[in-house]
Amino acid sequence: MKHYDALKIEAKWQDRWEKEATFRADDKDKRPKFYLAEMFPYPSAHGLHVGHVRNFSIIDCLTRFYSQKGFNVLRPFGYDTFGLPAENYAIKTGISPQEATRQNVENFRKQAKRLGFAIDWSREINTSDPEYYRWTQWCFLKLYEKGLAYRAESYQWWCSTDQTVLANEQVEDGRCWRCGNEVTKRKMKQWYFKITEYADELLEEIDSLDWPDRIKTMQKNWIGRSEGANIRFKVDGDKYDIEVFTTRPDTLFGATFLVLAPEHELLDKIVTNDARAAVDKYRKDALKKSEIERQENRDKTGVFTGAYAINPATNSKIPIWVSDYVLSSYGLGAIMAVPAHDERDYEFASRFKLPIIRVIDPVDSPESSDDHYCYHGEGVLVNSGEYNGCSSQEARKKILNWLTASHIGHAQVTYRMRDWLISRQRYWGCPIPIAYDKQGNAHPIPVDQLPVTLPAITDYAPDQSGRSALAKAQDFVKCKLDGEAMLRETDTLDGYACSSWYLWRYLDPHNSKQAWSPKLVNQWAPLDIYCGGDHAVAHLLYVRFWCKFFADEGLLSFREPIKKLLYNGYINGPDGRKMSKSKGNVIDPLDVIDDGYGADTLRTYELFIGPYDMDASWSTEAIGGVFRFLGRFWSLCFTAEHLDGADAEHEYRRHKTIKKVTEDIQRTNFNTAVAALMEYLNYLYKNGAAKNDLVAFARLLKPFAPHLASEVLEEFSADDAWPTWDEDKLVTDVMEVIVQVNGKLRAKLTLAAEEVQNRDLLIEKARADAKVQQFIGSKELVKTIALPERRLVNFVVK
RNA sequence: GGGCGAGUGGCGGAAUUGGUAUACGCGGCAGACUUAAAAUCUGCUUCCUUUACCGGAUUAUGGGUUCGAGUCCCAUCUCGCCCACCA
């Protein structure tokens, strides 16, 4: 007895697809283009996991769907290979990151091929390939040329385990995103990309994107735009001014003290001799605290600097304090404290017995306002001289005008987002193409000398120096530029730089003259659909930033790189917990295939498991249901007798399924598309199937189970063109009508179409039903709702 | 603390503009085939009452709008995610 031998079928088709390069995309094809990609994977030593399979299967389903619909589809694949795991592995084992990466990539490629994805393998890219990172370096130089890559010294997040600085996007809850270690601040000279230059555009264009609202909100929060004012306060009896940022210039009359962040540069200059010792100690302690410690203890602490400032509105002397509740990295690192209308300032003022002056009364409840020192809403100004009686909104404008006219302040927009810190004190990354002369001035490496190749070394471990292991490679460090001896930059680029432009390299992957040809990229990009389950604010913000920059450079003709984003959920272990080796709940997708289920079952199951954007738990039982489904289709095709032709009922079912599956895939409701196919198959299984039915079924199934579908289409000598439905076939002669009494279902009638269309006849038929009669009885009929188009009648009785 | 989203059988989940709640799958029960098991096939499977029919209840809880509410509105509870000393 023959049976569904998934592995045999899959080997046959994978072999054929490989030999025929079936999925190679043609740049010259004139059909409308469709460009899709998943977020390329970091090829770990563990190989593909079920999360990758879900992610790749979503894109593969859409790739095949649009391809079958006749689009010129491009779906590439690549590897994001720079990063800490390979380097840490090298430190542990001595196996070079180059070698480990080579092995991991090979394994990933082999595994991806066993899943039968419709990938154009001729476009494979790898970010640690010198031919790739040569152009990452070129991108860096482009940004440098325009002043958007710069070097500055400041306090940055430092991970003492990984011995490197981190970008703000890589610090999660005060911990390193890689190792989970608590991070602290360290003052270092570092390279940055000026992403804040594009903050407004990045914010404004979010709304135009077909992205999940969740991700859009996260990016908006991350950018965090605030409108307000910068205001200068004179330091009493000194030459210095302290400038603060506030969103509420209307509360200026209530500013009773200033607070500086511990890192503020004027702190040293204004502190009085009496206070110096206490201030120095406070600053030292604050910098030593990790972010976790700062968050755990939110009790306000602080020290008086001994100095005073002049409130420009009241001309009164107000004390200047230092406290770590003011963040050095936001605004100007200094605030005017208005304790009557800001809870943090209120807490601080209460603790240190500082004056509190109310300057805004709520409009609706002026009597009770005495108890509400911390009223932070809008209202009417009091204790504010000439502005008394003015609404707070109005006062905001008036006071800002006065500040501007008298050169004390000006309107200011501030962002929560900071510039992107890109240097890493690690070996396994793209070298920054910069060298320094004897004076320490930075010089870009000329483009014709790229790539600056990462040298092979043997000792990868970073030390406490804050420099990468590259610093020990003397042959690498020493170089000559225009005959002048220089020392190379030994920090490497954040891996996110490598992934900020790969979506364009895919479109011109073998170009040795340019990072990409604008003609080719503008032809294929922007990406029509992108899918991933991570990097909501890091990668997905950076790639938008680079897109805008290169559009300004004339190298791209679009300003947003990704039209539609699908953010897929995770797949947890059968116990509902995150899969991890230590919990012993890891499902290896290759094991699932080799157990006999095959790739078609695995892929279909992962799309059927639930809505693609929700987390799901693996079920070792439920995958059997999908295997049975595919097995039944196989046996219906290859072992059963086929009907000579399809009757009206078969045609109705077929067209209904075509419509449902087509619309569901377009709506990315993959799970219900599979359910519709199961329902159709159950029908065919019971009632027999004609060749037409099976061919249509195979075409609809192909995006989910491409091997089996190909096998069936070959058997019936049919192509894979996406089937279309005929609305006429969905209209039936007889239909079921729902009859309700007081909104409750009481009868289902089977009536001819003409009977339903005739409203009076429909009501008559419905009312004549014995069951309906029973519920209406002798009660008074108040109203009758009859909706032929909804096939529904509702009798309302009293 | 602020913002957003969600709550449907034993389980994963369906219900596209308010119109048959529980599609599809898993699990469970019964039966067929078999010496037996596996596999496969058939039927049943929201809950209560009932041998069965009939009937009643039901989409976290309470209220509202409506001929009709899982879907809309208000309140409450629970969970999830994001932000969080951002001036």
Side-chain angles (χ1 to χ4, degrees):
Chain A
M1 173 76 185
K2 292 207 295 177
H3 68 286
Y4 169 45
D5 187 345
L7 297 186
K8 192 174 154 196
I9 293 171
E10 290 174 8
K12 167 185 161 184
W13 287 97
Q14 285 165 17
D15 191 49
R16 189 178 294 185
W17 294 334
E18 175 88 26
K19 281 203 184 103
E20 295 176 0
T22 312
F23 309 112
R24 188 167 292 184
D26 182 359
D27 295 328
K28 302 212 169 54
D29 194 320
K30 293 282 179 255
R31 294 175 300 163
K33 68 95 183 179
F34 207 92
Y35 176 28
L36 315 91
E38 60 272 299
M39 290 182 187
F40 65 165
Y42 177 84
S44 79
H46 306 298
L48 284 182
H49 57 70
V50 291
H52 290 120
V53 174
R54 185 182 213 187
N55 186 214
F56 300 171
S57 295
I58 290 166
I59 285 299
D60 207 64
C61 179
L62 294 165
T63 298
R64 290 177 180 276
F65 173 71
Y66 285 104
S67 174
Q68 287 178 258
K69 281 189 72 114
F71 285 86
N72 181 27
V73 169
L74 169 56
R75 190 275 179 97
F77 196 68
Y79 313 94
D80 183 21
T81 49
F82 274 134
L84 275 175
E87 187 175 338
N88 288 338
Y89 184 70
I91 293 168
K92 218 168 80 184
T93 64
I95 297 171
S96 72
Q98 284 84 347
E99 176 55 21
T101 298
R102 198 191 57 74
Q103 288 175 15
N104 293 347
V105 163
E106 200 174 301
N107 186 38
F108 255 63
R109 183 189 299 122
K110 218 170 73 195
Q111 296 194 331
K113 287 189 178 180
R114 288 217 51 202
L115 280 145
F117 295 130
I119 290 167
D120 179 350
W121 289 102
S122 71
R123 293 170 185 265
E124 205 181 19
I125 57 177
N126 177 336
T127 57
S128 64
D129 177 347
E131 273 311 298
Y132 181 89
Y133 68 67
R134 169 189 189 176
W135 300 110
T136 307
Q137 291 171 342
W138 175 86
C139 291
F140 173 93
L141 292 176
K142 269 288 179 197
L143 285 153
Y144 180 78
E145 198 181 290
K146 299 290 163 172
L148 294 177
Y150 67 93
R151 202 164 168 242
E153 181 165 52
S154 73
Y155 289 93
Q156 283 306 329
W157 296 121
W158 172 262
C159 173
S160 58
T161 310
D162 289 333
Q163 296 283 338
T164 184
V165 291
L166 298 166
N168 294 302
E169 290 83 352
Q170 291 167 337
V171 176
E172 295 164 355
D173 293 330
R175 293 175 185 277
C176 170
W177 71 316
R178 276 289 176 223
C179 65
N181 183 47
E182 290 183 21
V183 296
T184 51
K185 284 273 168 109
R186 186 160 171 173
K187 194 172 189 175
M188 297 181 78
K189 203 159 187 186
Q190 299 287 317
W191 284 96
Y192 295 86
F193 285 146
K194 204 169 183 182
I195 189 171
T196 51
E197 184 88 2
Y198 287 94
D200 267 323
E201 204 198 335
L202 286 167
L203 185 67
E204 277 163 22
E205 290 188 359
I206 288 175
D207 286 326
S208 70
L209 298 174
D210 184 8
W211 288 22
D213 287 337
R214 218 176 94 231
I215 309 302
K216 295 209 252 188
T217 308
M218 279 167 77
Q219 292 212 348
K220 281 183 194 168
N221 287 344
W222 187 261
I223 295 167
R225 187 181 198 270
S226 296
E227 282 181 30
N230 281 2
I231 306 175
R232 275 184 300 116
F233 285 70
K234 280 205 167 320
V235 178
D236 188 37
D238 215 329
K239 61 179 175 183
Y240 299 107
D241 288 340
I242 290 173
E243 198 169 17
V244 304
F245 171 72
T246 180
T247 53
R248 296 293 300 269
D250 50 312
T251 63
L252 180 57
F253 285 80
T256 53
F257 57 100
L258 297 188
V259 188
L260 305 184
E263 296 93 340
H264 199 280
E265 55 177 12
L266 283 180
L267 189 54
D268 262 339
K269 307 205 163 105
I270 58 145
V271 64
T272 60
N273 287 333
D274 295 347
R276 187 172 298 275
V279 167
D280 282 351
K281 183 179 183 306
Y282 182 80
R283 177 171 51 190
K284 237 176 107 185
D285 290 347
L287 291 178
K288 234 172 34 200
K289 276 198 226 168
S290 72
E291 183 73 355
I292 303 268
E293 287 170 313
R294 278 196 182 194
Q295 279 176 7
E296 268 169 6
N297 185 6
R298 290 232 177 156
D299 289 344
K300 296 284 179 291
T301 58
V303 175
F304 178 43
T305 63
Y308 291 85
I310 306 295
N311 181 326
T314 61
N315 281 321
S316 52
K317 263 173 73 173
I318 59 174
I320 305 173
W321 284 66
V322 57
S323 172
D324 66 1
Y325 87 89
V326 175
L327 309 175
S328 66
S329 51
Y330 182 75
L332 297 161
I335 60 151
M336 64 176 209
V338 185
H341 304 289
D342 181 283
E343 278 178 47
R344 297 151 300 182
D345 297 344
Y346 177 70
E347 234 180 276
F348 194 83
S350 312
R351 171 101 191 253
F352 294 105
K353 306 278 182 300
L354 293 164
I356 296 168
I357 299 174
R358 183 162 47 86
V359 290
I360 292 174
D361 273 346
V363 183
D364 40 359
S365 55
E367 324 81 56
S368 64
S369 65
D370 282 12
D371 304 317
H372 292 82
Y373 279 113
C374 269
Y375 175 71
H376 50 255
E378 303 292 349
V380 177
L381 268 68
V382 293
N383 298 325
S384 298
E386 59 185 289
Y387 301 101
N388 283 344
C390 202
S391 80
S392 48
Q393 289 100 324
E394 192 64 20
R396 206 130 65 221
K397 287 181 209 147
K398 283 186 177 169
I399 292 178
L400 186 54
N401 284 343
W402 167 70
L403 287 168
T404 310
S406 43
H407 304 288
I408 299 168
H410 59 268
Q412 179 70 38
V413 174
T414 294
Y415 301 92
R416 205 191 78 100
M417 179 172 70
R418 332 273 205 263
D419 279 339
W420 171 15
L421 169 60
I422 47 164
S423 14
R424 296 290 178 277
Q425 291 69 50
R426 298 296 305 226
Y427 166 76
W428 188 233
C430 171
I432 296 175
I434 289 285
Y436 302 97
D437 60 27
K438 288 202 175 65
Q439 287 74 44
N441 298 313
H443 297 268
I445 304 295
V447 171
D448 58 16
Q449 291 179 33
L450 299 182
V452 175
T453 313
L454 201 56
I457 59 170
T458 48
D459 178 11
Y460 304 98
D463 52 35
Q464 291 296 323
S465 67
R467 302 189 69 191
S468 85
L470 271 180
K472 291 180 275 189
Q474 285 303 307
D475 290 349
F476 171 79
V477 175
K478 287 182 187 156
C479 68
K480 276 200 170 154
L481 232 57
D482 293 331
E484 192 183 345
M486 300 215 184
L487 298 176
R488 287 193 195 277
E489 170 64 65
T490 56
D491 284 354
T492 54
L493 277 175
D494 178 6
Y496 278 123
C498 305
S499 55
S500 292
W501 67 283
Y502 81 109
L503 293 173
W504 312 316
R505 184 66 181 177
Y506 271 147
L507 307 174
D508 194 10
H510 308 296
N511 193 333
S512 57
K513 305 269 188 304
Q514 298 166 284
W516 63 81
S517 133
K519 186 178 161 281
L520 278 179
V521 170
N522 293 334
Q523 174 188 325
W524 286 105
L527 197 56
D528 292 283
I529 301 180
Y530 197 33
C531 180
D534 202 357
H535 313 300
V537 289
H539 166 59
L540 287 170
L541 200 54
Y542 299 149
V543 73
R544 295 181 62 218
F545 159 45
W546 282 37
C547 180
K548 292 175 193 309
F549 169 71
F550 285 112
D552 285 341
E553 292 299 296
L555 296 168
L556 300 174
S557 64
F558 48 92
R559 300 193 72 82
E560 284 291 345
I562 300 154
K563 280 196 209 161
K564 186 179 179 72
L565 173 72
L566 304 178
Y567 205 75
N568 63 277
Y570 290 109
I571 292 189
N572 295 319
D575 54 1
R577 296 185 302 168
K578 210 176 164 207
M579 282 190 196
S580 82
K581 254 186 165 174
S582 59
K583 289 177 203 135
N585 61 352
V586 175
I587 304 290
D588 183 333
L590 270 292
D591 287 350
V592 174
I593 293 175
D594 289 330
D595 279 349
Y597 286 120
D600 281 341
T601 292
L602 175 64
R603 298 167 44 143
T604 307
Y605 170 64
E606 290 209 28
L607 291 168
F608 179 63
I609 196 168
Y612 81 93
D613 55 348
M614 301 237 302
D615 289 354
S617 298
W618 186 269
S619 161
T620 36
E621 290 88 26
I623 191 171
V626 174
F627 182 74
R628 280 191 283 278
F629 160 63
L630 295 181
R632 277 203 300 274
F633 178 54
W634 182 90
S635 60
L636 196 56
C637 290
F638 293 103
T639 68
E641 295 275 313
H642 301 148
L643 302 177
D644 286 338
D647 60 16
E649 172 75 4
H650 275 74
E651 294 219 320
Y652 167 75
R653 296 274 184 163
R654 183 163 76 235
H655 286 261
K656 198 175 123 175
T657 307
I658 293 169
K659 181 178 184 180
K660 172 82 175 150
V661 173
T662 306
E663 291 179 346
D664 274 354
I665 294 178
Q666 279 163 343
R667 281 190 298 254
T668 62
N669 292 343
F670 308 106
N671 55 330
T672 51
V674 175
L677 286 170
M678 288 173 165
E679 211 172 339
Y680 182 35
L681 184 70
N682 288 345
Y683 172 78
L684 294 178
Y685 213 70
K686 214 172 278 180
N687 299 283
K691 197 181 135 183
N692 276 353
D693 296 309
L694 296 170
V695 167
F697 193 96
R699 287 170 174 164
L700 295 175
L701 183 68
K702 202 177 178 196
F704 302 93
H707 309 87
L708 174 59
S710 299
E711 186 75 9
V712 171
L713 291 172
E714 185 184 50
E715 171 74 15
F716 293 119
S717 311
D719 63 28
D720 68 357
W722 193 257
T724 52
W725 73 90
D726 184 350
E727 285 289 343
D728 291 346
K729 299 273 198 251
L730 298 175
V731 180
T732 48
D733 297 341
V734 290
M735 47 186 69
E736 195 169 66
V737 174
I738 301 310
V739 187
Q740 300 175 326
V741 177
N742 284 349
K744 277 210 162 84
L745 174 69
R746 293 304 176 191
K748 292 181 191 177
L749 307 179
T750 304
L751 298 176
E754 309 85 66
E755 293 175 305
V756 177
Q757 289 318 311
N758 183 333
R759 201 172 168 278
D760 293 335
L761 190 58
L762 173 65
I763 294 171
E764 194 183 309
K765 289 269 181 189
R767 204 172 174 177
D769 183 84
K771 202 62 155 298
V772 176
Q773 279 295 320
Q774 183 192 324
F775 280 92
I776 295 178
S778 58
K779 290 177 195 138
E780 183 194 344
L781 186 61
V782 180
K783 201 172 180 181
T784 304
I785 313 281
L787 304 169
E789 67 282 7
R790 301 235 194 205
R791 288 172 291 167
L792 177 129
V793 179
N794 185 17
F795 295 107
V796 186
V797 296
K798 242 200 300 209

